[in-house]
Amino acid sequence: DTEVTQTPKHLVMGMTNKKSLKCEQHMGHRAMYWYKQKAKKPPELMFVYSYEKLSINESVPSRFSPECPNSSLLNLHLHALQPEDSALYLCASSGLRQGASDEQFFGPGTRLTVL
Amino acid sequence: AQKVTQAQTEISVVEKEDVTLDCVYETRDTTYYLFWYKQPPSGELVFLIRRNSFDEQNEISGRYSWNFQKSTSSFNFTITASQVVDSAVYFCALSEAADSWGKLQFGAGTQVVVTP
């Protein structure tokens, strides 16, 4: 099973709402990623979790809060977002080997609109 | 600084034509990895290929082929006999071994439009 699933597919929220994005993988991967992608741009890395610990936070505003409850799940909690946060949010996972970069497998994304 | 350059913003071809996507990268690491991903209109990034810096063999997979040339820091991608289903944005990406977490640095992407 080489699938990464994400829910919901679409999300519309107001600036005062609190919502969560969910990501799941069952490939036994120990690294999981959140990316943000604006229209006609490449994905931008937000967070990396390795062995369920936050390894990279690319200076993301605190209104985005990641959580990794276990090795298969990754959440992104959203609170007090701004309209400019509207984007496609992609989750990915990969194996983790010392000094090597395995391919990342991406989920279908959550298309977020902040009103 | 931009580490991966995809100079072609958009390429339009008619079905059955070949199309080559250019990718030029920049790194000081001797060990690094190069990737190509396809992003169709649905949005999901689909992994196509991974190459490490020590493996300069060109690769062919069906209608897809890749030409890796360290001398020119290029990793170009060719679609032979293009089909409408090949219409997508294609991203080239670099990961440096010095980065333990496999951080991908993407190029800007090339939009491929294949018309019947």
Short mmCIF file of all heavy atoms in Angstrom, two decimals, chain B residues 4 14 16 25 30-32 36 40-41 43 63 102 112:
data_model
loop_
_atom_site.label_atom_id
_atom_site.label_comp_id
_atom_site.label_asym_id
_atom_site.label_seq_id
_atom_site.Cartn_x
_atom_site.Cartn_y
_atom_site.Cartn_z
N VAL B 4 17.33 24.84 -7.74
CA VAL B 4 16.82 24.06 -8.86
C VAL B 4 16.13 25.03 -9.82
O VAL B 4 15.23 25.76 -9.43
CB VAL B 4 15.81 22.99 -8.38
CG1 VAL B 4 15.27 22.20 -9.57
CG2 VAL B 4 16.47 22.06 -7.38
N VAL B 14 1.41 19.03 -29.43
CA VAL B 14 0.30 18.26 -29.96
C VAL B 14 0.57 16.79 -29.65
O VAL B 14 1.72 16.35 -29.63
CB VAL B 14 0.14 18.49 -31.47
CG1 VAL B 14 -0.98 17.63 -32.04
CG2 VAL B 14 -0.11 19.96 -31.75
N LYS B 16 1.37 13.03 -29.49
CA LYS B 16 2.37 12.20 -30.21
C LYS B 16 3.71 12.92 -30.39
O LYS B 16 4.67 12.29 -30.81
CB LYS B 16 1.86 11.71 -31.56
CG LYS B 16 0.65 10.78 -31.47
CD LYS B 16 0.48 9.99 -32.74
CE LYS B 16 -0.66 8.99 -32.62
NZ LYS B 16 -1.98 9.53 -32.80
N TYR B 25 20.47 22.11 -11.64
CA TYR B 25 20.53 22.20 -10.19
C TYR B 25 21.88 22.74 -9.76
O TYR B 25 22.85 22.76 -10.54
CB TYR B 25 20.27 20.83 -9.55
CG TYR B 25 21.30 19.79 -9.94
CD1 TYR B 25 22.44 19.59 -9.17
CD2 TYR B 25 21.12 19.03 -11.09
CE1 TYR B 25 23.38 18.66 -9.54
CE2 TYR B 25 22.07 18.09 -11.48
CZ TYR B 25 23.19 17.91 -10.69
OH TYR B 25 24.14 16.98 -11.07
N THR B 30 28.64 16.46 -2.45
CA THR B 30 29.01 15.42 -3.41
C THR B 30 27.95 14.33 -3.45
O THR B 30 27.85 13.58 -4.41
CB THR B 30 30.37 14.80 -3.05
OG1 THR B 30 30.31 14.33 -1.70
CG2 THR B 30 31.48 15.82 -3.22
N THR B 31 27.18 14.23 -2.38
CA THR B 31 26.08 13.25 -2.33
C THR B 31 24.77 14.01 -2.30
O THR B 31 24.52 14.80 -1.40
CB THR B 31 26.19 12.35 -1.09
OG1 THR B 31 27.45 11.70 -1.08
CG2 THR B 31 25.07 11.32 -1.11
N TYR B 32 23.97 13.76 -3.31
CA TYR B 32 22.67 14.43 -3.38
C TYR B 32 21.73 13.56 -4.20
O TYR B 32 22.14 12.56 -4.80
CB TYR B 32 22.79 15.84 -3.99
CG TYR B 32 23.50 15.88 -5.32
CD1 TYR B 32 22.79 15.74 -6.52
CD2 TYR B 32 24.88 16.07 -5.39
CE1 TYR B 32 23.43 15.77 -7.74
CE2 TYR B 32 25.54 16.11 -6.61
CZ TYR B 32 24.81 15.96 -7.78
OH TYR B 32 25.45 16.00 -8.99
N TRP B 36 11.93 13.76 -9.90
CA TRP B 36 10.89 14.38 -10.72
C TRP B 36 9.53 13.95 -10.18
O TRP B 36 9.34 12.77 -9.84
CB TRP B 36 11.00 13.95 -12.20
CG TRP B 36 11.98 14.75 -12.99
CD1 TRP B 36 13.29 14.44 -13.26
CD2 TRP B 36 11.74 16.01 -13.63
NE1 TRP B 36 13.86 15.43 -14.03
CE2 TRP B 36 12.94 16.40 -14.27
CE3 TRP B 36 10.61 16.85 -13.73
CZ2 TRP B 36 13.04 17.59 -15.01
CZ3 TRP B 36 10.73 18.02 -14.45
CH2 TRP B 36 11.94 18.38 -15.08
N PRO B 40 -0.84 16.49 -11.70
CA PRO B 40 -1.98 16.71 -12.61
C PRO B 40 -2.94 17.71 -11.99
O PRO B 40 -2.78 18.10 -10.83
CB PRO B 40 -2.60 15.31 -12.73
CG PRO B 40 -2.15 14.57 -11.53
CD PRO B 40 -0.85 15.18 -11.09
N PRO B 41 -3.96 18.12 -12.76
CA PRO B 41 -4.91 19.12 -12.24
C PRO B 41 -5.57 18.71 -10.93
O PRO B 41 -5.98 19.57 -10.15
CB PRO B 41 -5.93 19.24 -13.37
CG PRO B 41 -5.16 18.89 -14.61
CD PRO B 41 -4.19 17.83 -14.18
N GLY B 43 -4.19 17.73 -8.34
CA GLY B 43 -3.40 18.30 -7.25
C GLY B 43 -2.40 17.37 -6.59
O GLY B 43 -1.45 17.85 -5.98
N ARG B 63 7.28 5.48 -21.72
CA ARG B 63 7.46 6.66 -22.59
C ARG B 63 8.31 7.73 -21.93
O ARG B 63 8.58 8.77 -22.54
CB ARG B 63 6.09 7.25 -22.95
CG ARG B 63 5.21 6.32 -23.76
CD ARG B 63 3.89 6.99 -24.17
NE ARG B 63 3.06 7.33 -23.02
CZ ARG B 63 2.90 8.57 -22.58
NH1 ARG B 63 3.50 9.59 -23.17
NH2 ARG B 63 2.11 8.80 -21.54
N GLY B 102 15.76 14.75 4.50
CA GLY B 102 15.29 14.57 3.13
C GLY B 102 14.53 15.77 2.59
O GLY B 102 13.62 15.62 1.80
N VAL B 112 3.03 21.38 -18.68
CA VAL B 112 2.97 20.73 -19.99
C VAL B 112 1.51 20.63 -20.41
O VAL B 112 0.68 20.12 -19.66
CB VAL B 112 3.61 19.34 -19.95
CG1 VAL B 112 3.37 18.59 -21.26
CG2 VAL B 112 5.10 19.44 -19.66
#
